Amino acid sequence: MNRDDEEILAIARVGFLEEAADMLRQFEQALLIMETDPGDTENLNAAFRAAHTIKGTAGLFGFDAVVSFTHEAEALLESLRAGRIQVSEPVIALLLQSRDQMEALLAEVASGEQDPSIAEASRELGAALRAAMGGPTAAAEAPRAAAAPTEPGATQWAIGLRFGPDALRNGLDPLSFIRYLGTLGRIDEIRLLEDAIPPLDQLDAEACYLGFDILFSGTATREQIQQVFEFCIDDCALTLQALSAPEADAADGDAHDSDTHEAHAPDDAPTHGTAAATDRRTGERRTADRRAGSDDARVVKVRADKLDRLIDLIGELVIASSGANLVAHTENSPAMIEAAQRISDLVEEARDGALALRMVPIGDTFARFQRVVRDLSKQLGKEVELVVTGGDAEMDKSMVETIADPLMHLVRNSLDHGIEPVEARLAAGKPAQGRLAFNAYHESGSIVIEVSDDGRGLDSARILAKAIERGLISADDELSEEEVYQLIFLPGFSTAEAVTNISGRGVGMDVVKRNIESLRGQIRVASTPGRGATMQIRLPLTLAMIDGFLTQVGKVHYVLPLAVVAECIDVPPECRADPDRVCGTFDLRGQLLPYLDLARFYGAPRTEQRRRSLIVVNQGETHIGIVVDRLLGEHQTVIKPLAPMFRHLQALAGSTILGSGEVALVLDMQGLIAAAGRHGTTYRHSHAFAAGTAPLNSQSIG
C-alpha cells in the first residue's frame, strides 16, 4: 500500500468514526424514547438502522470486533421488531450497555490499540444479549459459523457481482464487500470473473474489470444481502438468486422475483446482461430517489480548524474595511465613500454568514443529558422526567463543549440535592415523578439557558448559616436573597450532610461559575422553598464578532454590545449634580434606574466636556445607565483577547482594533454591573431591580 492509499484510508477512517458517533447518539436517543413508550415502533426501527449502519460500515473497513459485537445488539433489536420478545427495562438497560460497549470498541479503532478487558466485556455482554433472546449464554461462534447451511431456516444463494470500471476510482474496495457478506453467513464458494480484463497494452491501471460469482449460505434475507452492496450500488451490477429456501421464505422471494427459487448451479447465475442491467437501473433509481430526498446530500462537513481560520480572516477583513471607510471619509471623496460603503456592506454579510456556520442548536447538547438523568435517577432510586424546550435556539459551537460540563454539574446537583425521593414527594403532596427542565431562548443578543427542578428548593437560612460557620462571610453582613444564593458558588461550599459519589464535596459549583464567566457569561439563582429552584445562565451568542456601539471616555474608546443599547440621552440632572460620584440613581420617565459613570469608574482624568451622554442599557431584566463622554455610533467589532498584563482590569471582555489602528476596549456588561454593585451603590436593593416578571425573582445586580 502506497502513501496515498494510506492517507485516503486514514481520511475515510475519520469519516467512519464521525458517522459512527452520530449513529450512537441516534441509537441512544431512540432507546431512551422506547423505554418511556415501548410501543414506539418508529424509534425501534431507528435504533436498528443505527446499529446496522455502524456494523455495515465497520465491516467495510474490516473492524471485526465492532462488527461481531454490534451483530449481537442488532440481533436483539431484530427480536424486538419481530415481536419474539417485548421491550422492558432490563432489555433497554442491556441495549444501553451495548451502546457504551460499541463506543469503547470504536475508541479502540481510533487509537489503534487493543485492550483485552474490552474484548472480555464484549464476550460477557454478548452472552447477556443472547440470553435476553432466550439463546445460549455461552460464548457464541462467529456470525459466519452460526449461519451454516444446516441451520434451520438457512437459504443458499447464488450472487452475481460485476463491478463497473470506475469502482476503484470512486474509492471502493470490492473485497471489503465480500468480507462483510461473510459476517452474515458462510461463503461456500467464490469464482473470479476475469473475462472483462483487456489486453495488457489496453489496460487502464485505475479501472476495475473484476466480477465474482458467489455461493452463499445463511439465514440472511434478500434485503439484508442487498444492503451489503448498498454503498456500491451505483458502481456494480448485482444479481441475486435463491437456490434453496425454506417454505417460509417463498412468499418473500415471490414478492421480489418470480424466478428467484428456480434451481440452477452458481456457474449459471447471470452476472450481466438484461437481469443485471435491470437490477442496476433499479438500484440507480433507488439511490437517486434517496439522494434527492435527503438533506444529508446537501451537507458538507468542514474541519473545525478551517472554519476557525475563515472566521479569523473575516475578522481581519472587517478591520480592513473599517480602515478603508475611514480613509474614504478623510479624503472626502464621494466615489470612494460609496465604494467603501459597498465593501463594508458585503463584508458584514460575509461576517454574518461565516458566524452562522458556527451556530448549532443547543438541543444537541441537551439531548446528551437524557441518558445521564435516566442512569442517575435509577442510581438514586428516584423517578425523574427530563423536559426540554427551546432546543432550536442556536449558540456558537466553540462554546458548546465548554458549557456542557457546567450543565452536567447542575444536573447532578438537581438530581441529588434538589429532587426528593418518591416517599418524600408523596408526603409533600407532589407527584411521585420529579421534573427536571431545560429551557433556552435568545434575549438581547444573548442566549439564556435555564435548568430548573420542582424539588425542595434552596434554604437561604441554611446556606447563610453554613457560610458564616465556614468563615466565608461575617455574621454582620447584610445580603439580599440572591446574594445568599450566590454563596453556593464559593470554592468549598456545600450544605450536604453526607458525601456521595455524585456530589457533596463542595467541588463543582465554583467550577461552574468560573467556566461560565470565562465565556463572558453570568449565572443567577432563584428558588422557592419546597417548590424548586432555577439556575439561569446567560451567555453571548458568539465570542468572535459582534455588532458594537462605539463610545469614548477621555482618550480611551469603549465598545458596548449593540444588542443591549436601548437608547441614548443627555446626562440627567441627578448625574450632573455630583460629577465625582461613580454610581447613583436617576429618573427615566418616572422609573428610578441606577447609573454608572464610566470615567469615574475607571479613574479617567477629569476633562472639560461640554456635553456628555448617558446610554440606557438593558441586560436581561436589569436596566442601568452608562455615562460616557462621546457617542461614536455603530461599529463592527472583532473581539480579541486582552494581553495577560491587562486581565486584572474590571469588566472588560476583550479588545478590538479600530479602522484608525487604535485599540478600543470591549465592555463586559455583566461584569460591569456586578462590579458596580460591589462599589457599594445606594441602588443595590432599590425597587428598580426588584420589579419585573422574569423567571428569577430577584433582579439585584450585587
Side-chain angles (χ1 to χ4, degrees):
M1 182 181 294
N2 60 39
R3 185 172 181 179
D4 289 342
D5 291 338
E6 291 177 353
E7 290 179 355
I8 292 172
L9 284 176
I11 293 171
R13 188 179 295 111
V14 171
F16 159 69
L17 292 172
E18 290 177 352
E19 181 186 25
D22 290 338
M23 290 298 104
L24 283 179
R25 281 193 289 271
Q26 294 179 26
F27 185 74
E28 180 179 272
Q29 188 68 19
L31 293 178
L32 293 172
I33 296 175
M34 284 166 54
E35 187 172 35
T36 58
D37 185 3
D40 190 337
T41 57
E42 179 56 37
N43 274 286
L44 174 58
N45 291 333
F48 181 85
R49 287 193 299 269
H52 184 76
T53 301
I54 292 173
K55 186 181 85 169
T57 315
L60 295 180
F61 284 94
F63 301 142
D64 295 336
V66 179
V67 172
S68 179
F69 178 77
T70 308
H71 177 80
E72 303 280 10
E74 187 184 46
L76 180 56
L77 287 166
E78 181 58 38
S79 294
L80 290 171
R81 295 172 77 195
R84 291 190 291 271
I85 60 175
Q86 300 300 315
V87 176
S88 63
E89 185 176 323
V91 168
I92 295 296
L94 269 177
L95 288 170
L96 287 172
Q97 291 178 50
S98 301
R99 178 255 177 234
D100 295 340
Q101 185 63 18
M102 284 185 255
E103 186 175 48
L105 292 168
L106 290 168
E108 283 190 330
V109 171
S111 66
E113 299 177 357
Q114 304 293 319
D115 185 346
S117 65
I118 292 180
E120 179 61 27
S122 292
R123 287 190 290 270
E124 293 177 357
L125 191 51
L129 290 167
R130 291 189 295 276
M133 292 185 289
T137 57
E141 299 177 10
R144 177 182 300 185
T150 56
E151 183 179 351
T155 304
Q156 193 171 58
W157 299 88
I159 302 173
L161 185 63
R162 172 75 74 176
F163 283 91
D166 293 328
L168 299 179
R169 294 189 185 95
N170 293 336
L172 299 177
D173 177 6
L175 290 182
S176 66
F177 295 96
I178 297 174
R179 283 197 300 267
Y180 178 41
L181 177 66
T183 67
L184 301 182
R186 190 174 74 186
I187 296 177
D188 298 315
E189 185 179 341
I190 184 168
R191 184 164 68 92
L192 177 66
L193 303 176
E194 50 191 35
D195 56 290
I197 299 178
L200 187 60
D201 58 347
Q202 300 176 21
L203 188 141
D204 182 351
E206 296 183 350
C208 181
Y209 304 100
L210 300 179
F212 302 90
D213 276 341
I214 303 169
L215 188 63
F216 171 81
S217 300
T219 58
T221 65
R222 174 182 294 273
E223 288 76 12
Q224 289 173 324
I225 296 174
Q226 289 173 337
Q227 285 173 358
V228 170
F229 303 99
E230 184 177 10
F231 293 99
C232 64
I233 196 64
D234 290 338
D235 290 285
C236 75
L238 172 69
T239 60
L240 191 58
Q241 299 274 343
L243 302 182
S244 63
E247 188 174 322
D249 289 341
D252 177 68
D254 293 341
H256 294 281
D257 195 343
S258 58
D259 38 336
T260 293
H261 298 294
E262 196 175 323
H264 48 79
D267 287 352
D268 298 331
T271 58
H272 49 79
T274 303
T278 301
D279 277 5
R280 178 164 185 169
R281 283 195 300 270
T282 302
E284 287 173 349
R285 284 197 302 269
R286 183 170 61 249
T287 303
D289 291 343
R290 183 174 65 249
R291 288 178 175 172
S294 172
D295 288 338
D296 292 341
R298 295 187 292 273
V299 173
V300 178
K301 293 186 177 180
V302 180
R303 287 172 55 94
D305 57 345
K306 290 185 177 180
L307 188 55
D308 291 341
R309 176 60 178 159
L310 173 63
I311 298 293
D312 291 342
L313 288 174
I314 293 290
E316 294 303 318
L317 194 57
V318 168
I319 295 171
S321 173
S322 178
N325 262 312
L326 181 63
V327 171
H329 283 86
T330 302
E331 295 292 329
N332 198 23
S333 167
M336 287 184 63
I337 292 174
E338 183 178 352
Q341 184 59 47
R342 177 59 179 158
I343 292 173
S344 179
D345 292 342
L346 291 173
V347 168
E348 186 173 355
E349 286 187 31
R351 181 205 66 174
D352 293 342
L355 289 178
L357 294 175
R358 288 213 315 204
M359 303 300 283
V360 295
I362 188 66
D364 294 343
T365 302
F366 290 166
R368 303 180 188 180
F369 295 100
Q370 292 276 3
R371 176 76 180 279
V372 175
V373 171
R374 175 200 179 272
D375 292 348
L376 283 181
S377 60
K378 291 185 181 300
Q379 180 181 342
L380 294 167
K382 299 178 180 180
E383 296 182 15
V384 182
E385 174 192 19
L386 178 62
V387 179
V388 174
T389 55
D392 56 347
E394 293 185 328
M395 68 183 300
D396 195 316
K397 184 175 177 59
S398 63
M399 302 167 67
V400 168
E401 293 303 322
T402 306
I403 197 62
D405 188 56
L407 289 176
M408 177 68 75
H409 282 294
L410 296 181
V411 167
R412 292 168 72 92
N413 274 338
S414 289
L415 292 174
D416 198 15
H417 298 309
I419 297 177
E420 313 93 329
V422 173
E423 299 78 9
R425 291 183 63 84
L426 293 174
K430 296 182 178 181
Q433 186 181 57
R435 185 176 186 272
L436 179 66
F438 280 123
N439 182 35
Y441 55 92
H442 289 161
E443 183 180 82
S444 300
S446 302
I447 182 168
V448 180
I449 303 170
E450 294 176 344
V451 181
S452 58
D453 64 66
D454 65 347
R456 57 174 60 95
L458 297 176
D459 187 337
S460 57
R462 187 178 175 197
I463 293 172
L464 192 59
K466 185 67 70 172
I468 293 173
E469 175 189 325
R470 299 197 174 189
L472 299 175
I473 61 171
S474 168
D476 298 329
D477 289 340
E478 295 184 7
L479 303 178
S480 68
E481 188 173 54
E482 185 171 348
E483 288 172 326
V484 172
Y485 292 150
Q486 287 292 322
L487 295 174
I488 66 175
F489 297 107
L490 294 177
F493 183 88
S494 176
T495 59
E497 299 294 342
V499 172
T500 70
N501 62 345
I502 297 176
S503 59
R505 293 178 172 85
V507 178
M509 295 304 281
D510 60 319
V511 177
V512 167
K513 187 172 185 179
R514 187 162 61 248
N515 286 352
I516 291 171
E517 289 180 344
S518 72
L519 298 173
R520 305 201 312 273
Q522 179 186 39
I523 183 167
R524 301 174 62 201
V525 184
S527 177
T528 302
R531 305 305 300 172
T534 296
M535 304 284 178
Q536 185 190 78
I537 300 171
R538 183 179 295 272
L539 298 167
L541 287 178
T542 179
L543 299 177
M545 288 175 272
I546 61 171
D547 286 320
F549 189 77
L550 186 63
T551 67
Q552 186 173 348
V553 176
K555 296 182 179 180
V556 181
H557 292 89
Y558 294 95
V559 177
L560 291 77
L562 184 62
V564 304
V565 175
E567 60 180 306
C568 300
I569 61 175
D570 286 337
V571 174
E574 296 94 329
C575 305
R576 295 196 298 268
D578 190 354
D580 293 323
R581 189 167 185 170
V582 177
C583 304
T585 57
F586 70 101
D587 181 87
L588 179 65
R589 297 184 291 274
Q591 183 182 11
L592 186 64
L593 295 180
Y595 75 85
L596 176 77
D597 190 322
L598 214 56
R600 305 290 84 78
F601 180 76
Y602 283 116
R606 181 184 296 280
T607 59
E608 294 299 327
Q609 186 72 28
R610 293 183 179 179
R611 180 179 178 182
R612 305 181 74 204
S613 300
L614 183 143
I615 306 170
V616 180
V617 170
N618 293 343
Q619 182 67 29
E621 292 299 316
T622 302
H623 309 283
I624 186 173
I626 305 294
V627 179
V628 298
D629 290 347
R630 294 183 63 193
L631 304 175
L632 300 177
E634 297 182 21
H635 182 267
Q636 292 184 50
T637 303
V638 180
I639 301 177
K640 297 182 177 294
L642 288 172
M645 64 182 296
F646 297 114
R647 288 179 183 167
H648 67 282
L649 298 177
Q650 301 182 80
L652 294 179
S655 61
T656 189
I657 301 174
L658 304 179
S660 62
E662 296 179 88
V663 174
L665 300 175
V666 181
L667 292 171
D668 174 11
M669 296 310 304
Q670 294 158 354
L672 193 66
I673 292 171
R678 290 193 298 269
H679 234 70
T681 64
T682 59
Y683 58 82
R684 178 185 296 249
H685 304 298
S686 71
H687 69 274
F689 288 87
T693 57
L696 298 175
N697 295 329
S698 173
Q699 303 303 320
S700 169
I701 63 170

